[in-house]
Amino acid sequence: MSNLETRQLRYFVAVAEERHFGRAAERLGMAQPPLSRAIRDLERQLGVQLLIRTTRQVTLTSAGETLLADARVALDAVAAAEHRARNAGRPVPTLRLALKADYDAGLLPKIMDAYRTPPVELLLGGHGEQVPALRDGRADVALLPTPFDERGLDTEPLVTGPRLVALAAADPLAARTTVRLSDLTGRRLPDGTPAEAGGPQPPADRRSRLDLSQIFNLVEVGNIVWFLPDWVARRFPRPNIAYRPVDGLEPTTLAVAWPAESRSAAVATFVRTVRELAEATFDDESPTPLTSPV
C-alpha cells in the first residue's frame, strides 16, 4: 500500500467539512466526478469506509472522523514546513505576528518600538484567523483575545478586562450605567445570536463577516448590539454609540500565543518582550468600563 498523498487528504477534508460532494468540488475548483472517484480510491487504499453517502447528505464514519482530525494536523504540518522554510530562506527573515486590527490593547506601537530584530511582519486578519495562521506556519506568534482553541499552542495572558455592550445612543438602555443580560432580550448580536444568551466571546463574531465599521454602523441605527473588549471600546468613541458594562458578562483576556513545538530564539525573545511591556503598561492601570456615551 502506497503512502497517503497530501492531495488525497485535501480532497477528503473538503468533502468531510462540506458534507457535500458538489460544494467540496466547487471549493477545490474541480469537477465532482473525479472528486468522487478520488474518495472511493482512498477508501479502497485504506480498506475502510470513510463516508456514508445518501442522496441528501454525506456523513462520516468513525474511521472518517479519525482521518479528518489527523488529516487536518498533517496538512497544517506540511503547510507550516513550506511557510517556515520560505521565511527562513529570505534575505532578511522576519518574525510574523498575526493579530486582528485594533485588538492589541494599545500594545502594538510599543511592541514595534521595543522589538526590532528580526523585523516584525504584521499579518492582519479577522477574528478566528490567527490560530490557523499559527498552525499552518504563516505566523510565528499571535496576539488574540480568549477563548480560542489552544491545542498545540503555548500561550501567556497579557491583560484581562471587561467586555462591554455597544448600544445605539438612542436606545433606552443607554440611559443606564449598567445593564443586565436579561435587559437585552430581543436584541441580536452581529452573528445573529440572541444577545441575552451572553453571546460568544469576541472570536466567534467572525461568523458575521462584518468589519468594525460595518458593525458600528449597524449598532448606531439600532439594528444590533455588540459585545466588545473594553480596550476596543476606548479606541473607538462614537457620538451615536454608548458602551455599558453588563452584569454577568464574562471578561476577555488578550494573550500571546505561539506553536508549542517552536524552538525559535526570536519567538522566545518576542514573548518575553511583550509580557514585560504588558506588565509595565497594565500593572498600575486597572481597565475600567466606559459608563457614558461618547
Side-chain angles (χ1 to χ4, degrees):
M1 182 178 67
S2 62
N3 293 328
L4 292 178
E5 300 176 0
T6 56
R7 172 185 58 84
Q8 294 174 295
L9 296 181
R10 285 194 301 105
Y11 288 0
F12 173 73
V13 168
V15 175
E17 290 181 344
E18 297 293 341
R19 298 295 202 270
H20 191 277
F21 275 90
R23 290 194 298 269
E26 182 178 356
R27 166 174 157 181
L28 292 165
M30 63 187 297
Q32 183 174 333
L35 176 60
S36 297
R37 287 194 298 271
I39 298 300
R40 286 196 299 270
D41 290 344
L42 176 60
E43 289 178 318
R44 282 195 294 269
Q45 178 179 339
L46 294 176
V48 296
Q49 183 179 6
L50 300 172
L51 305 172
I52 299 173
R53 305 157 176 84
T54 68
T55 56
R56 294 188 176 183
Q57 64 179 354
V58 173
T59 58
L60 295 175
T61 65
S62 59
E65 293 282 3
T66 298
L67 181 60
L68 176 59
D70 290 339
R72 285 169 169 160
V73 173
L75 290 173
D76 281 345
V78 171
E82 176 184 351
H83 289 129
R84 289 168 185 159
R86 286 180 174 173
N87 185 57
R90 286 170 153 184
V92 181
T94 62
L95 186 135
R96 298 157 301 165
L97 170 62
L99 72 162
K100 169 74 174 72
D102 305 309
Y103 269 74
D104 58 286
L107 290 173
L108 185 57
K110 298 178 181 181
I111 292 171
M112 299 299 286
D113 184 60
Y115 186 92
R116 296 181 178 275
T117 305
V120 174
E121 177 183 351
L122 299 181
L123 303 178
L124 299 177
H127 287 305
E129 295 179 8
Q130 291 73 42
V131 169
L134 288 174
R135 291 209 169 105
D136 68 18
R138 286 175 291 138
D140 302 301
V141 289
L143 294 178
L144 66 170
T146 59
F148 54 88
D149 184 354
E150 298 185 20
R151 288 176 298 175
L153 303 177
D154 283 336
T155 69
E156 283 204 23
L158 298 176
V159 58
T160 297
R163 283 187 300 157
L164 311 179
V165 62
L167 303 159
D171 190 308
L173 292 179
R176 305 184 184 184
T177 56
T178 302
V179 300
R180 297 167 298 181
L181 283 173
S182 59
D183 296 329
L184 299 171
T185 299
R187 292 168 171 82
R188 295 278 171 178
L189 298 173
D191 64 359
T193 59
E196 68 269 19
Q201 292 265 2
D205 285 345
R206 68 186 185 277
R207 288 178 290 180
S208 70
R209 301 301 181 188
L210 301 175
D211 61 28
L212 282 182
S213 62
Q214 291 171 318
I215 291 175
F216 282 135
N217 288 338
L218 290 173
V219 171
E220 286 175 330
V221 299
N223 285 356
I224 63 168
V225 299
W226 183 36
F227 299 138
L228 72 168
D230 171 78
W231 61 77
V232 176
R234 291 184 174 278
R235 296 186 69 171
F236 292 95
R238 296 172 74 101
N240 296 319
I241 291 180
Y243 300 106
R244 294 291 178 268
V246 183
D247 284 343
L249 192 62
E250 292 295 322
T252 191
T253 296
L254 181 70
V256 57
W258 64 98
E261 73 275 9
S262 174
R263 299 295 180 267
S264 166
V267 168
T269 301
F270 180 88
V271 171
R272 183 171 61 252
T273 299
V274 172
R275 184 178 63 240
E276 292 171 352
L277 287 172
E279 290 173 353
T281 301
F282 298 110
D283 269 357
D284 298 322
E285 180 182 326
S286 299
T288 55
L290 303 176
T291 56
S292 60
V294 288

